[in-house]
């Protein structure tokens, strides 16, 4: 699930108050990979749990429906939580901007901005730079009275829903094509590990760690999850 930054105020710049309300939330590589991995792990875990108590000629279909149904539900939940997080973070930014503009003196306003910065950034920013931020907030147009969601937020939530749900299909596909539940389960887990490696590869390149290292690490995490599921009867 994507984690929003603590504040939109950064060293040397600040988001204009009107952008605190209308700025489009962006799902970056980390967000997309996290959502995909979430969907994969949910499907992997749920299919493993269902397989321990499923048998008979309709076992493959039951497990396919279980995987798809699980991720449809959790895709919806994750999308709704994204909207809630977006609204809460936007409200926090508006509250911070109002507090800075209504501060009794310049020193108090600068202190509020400094407190909102990430801990690692606080020591890198001087009071002179923070004063420039305060001045921009003071000169900006009126702030919105309350946080609101916009169309970009809804589009972001839809993207999250489809990322989580679409991650299920490679996991469920073997159960559609094969009648042998054990073979379908083995192939499903293999496809899941391959997708986890691809996700780790993308994440590693984005973070500068190297694709092979993070790909292998993500795959190892999937192996551990699979072993745990099997040990628990999946």
């Amino acid at each position: 699930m994507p984690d929003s930054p603590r504040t939109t105020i950064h060293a040397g710049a600040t988001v204009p108050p009107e952008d605190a309300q209308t700025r489009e939330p962006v799902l970056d590589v980390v967000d997309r990979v996290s959502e995909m991995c979430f969907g994969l792990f949910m499907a992997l875990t749920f299919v493993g749990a269902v397989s321990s108590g499923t048998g008979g000629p309709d076992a493959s279909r039951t497990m396919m429906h279980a995987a798809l149904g699980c991720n449809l539900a959790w895709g919806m939940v994750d999308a709704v939580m994204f909207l809630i997080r977006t609204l809460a973070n936007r409200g926090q930014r508006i509250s911070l901007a109002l507090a800075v503009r209504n501060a009794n003196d310049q020193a108090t306003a600068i202190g509020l901005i400094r407190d909102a910065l990430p801990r690692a950034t606080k020591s890198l920013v001087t009071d002179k730079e923070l004063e420039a931020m305060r001045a921009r907030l003071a000169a900006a147009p009126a702030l919105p009275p309350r946080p609101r969601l916009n169309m970009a937020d809804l589009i972001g939530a839809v993207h999250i829903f489809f990322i989580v749900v679409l991650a299920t299909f490679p996991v469920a596909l073997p159960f559609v094509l094969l009648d042998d539940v054990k073979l379908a389960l083995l192939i499903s887990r293999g496809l899941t590990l391959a997708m986890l490696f691809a996700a780790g590869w993308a994440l590693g390149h984005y973070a500068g760690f190297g694709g092979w290292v993070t790909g292998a690490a993500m795959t190892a995490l999937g192996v551990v999850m699979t072993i745990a599921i099997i040990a628990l009867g999946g």
Side-chain angles (χ1 to χ4, degrees):
M1 294 179 284
D3 292 324
S4 301
R6 181 180 175 186
T7 178
T8 55
I9 296 179
H10 303 283
T14 186
V15 175
E18 64 271 18
D19 286 347
Q21 178 64 42
T22 61
R23 184 176 62 88
E24 180 181 356
V26 177
L27 296 178
D28 59 21
V29 173
V30 176
D31 295 329
R32 293 186 179 96
V33 170
S34 298
E35 295 299 337
M36 189 184 86
C37 290
F38 174 74
L40 285 171
F41 283 130
M42 284 298 301
L44 182 67
T45 304
F46 206 78
V47 166
V50 172
S51 68
S52 63
T54 302
D58 294 330
S60 292
R61 183 173 302 221
T62 300
M63 293 176 67
M64 179 195 70
H65 289 164
L68 291 176
C70 169
N71 276 25
L72 281 170
W74 282 105
M76 181 176 62
V77 169
D78 211 15
V80 170
M81 290 308 301
F82 167 79
L83 294 176
I84 292 173
R85 289 195 306 272
T86 298
L87 194 64
N89 285 323
R90 191 164 292 158
Q92 186 271 338
R93 293 195 296 268
I94 293 175
S95 297
L96 172 62
L98 286 171
V100 170
R101 294 180 68 169
N102 296 331
N104 294 328
D105 52 62
Q106 179 179 320
T108 301
I110 290 175
L112 290 171
I113 297 174
R114 185 176 294 280
D115 289 341
L117 293 172
R119 184 175 300 177
T121 307
K122 292 181 181 182
S123 61
L124 303 177
V125 186
T126 65
D127 284 351
K128 183 177 180 180
E129 291 170 320
L130 295 179
E131 165 56 20
M133 298 182 191
R134 186 205 65 78
R136 287 186 62 189
L137 279 172
L143 291 164
R146 62 182 63 85
R148 294 186 180 90
L149 296 173
N150 53 44
M151 183 58 65
D153 302 320
L154 298 178
I155 292 173
V158 170
H159 285 171
I160 287 176
F161 174 80
F162 279 108
I163 289 171
V164 174
V165 173
L166 289 176
T168 308
F169 283 98
V171 180
L173 188 60
F175 300 105
V176 178
L177 302 177
L178 300 173
D179 294 328
D180 188 332
V181 176
K182 291 184 178 180
L183 179 59
L185 186 59
L186 180 63
I187 295 175
S188 174
R189 286 168 173 167
L191 289 173
T192 300
L193 295 179
M195 290 183 67
L196 287 172
F197 179 85
W201 179 281
L203 191 61
H205 276 286
Y206 178 82
F209 297 146
W212 286 103
V213 175
T214 51
M218 193 70 75
T219 305
L221 178 61
V223 170
V224 171
M225 289 277 295
T226 302
I227 292 173
I229 291 168
I230 294 172
L232 293 171

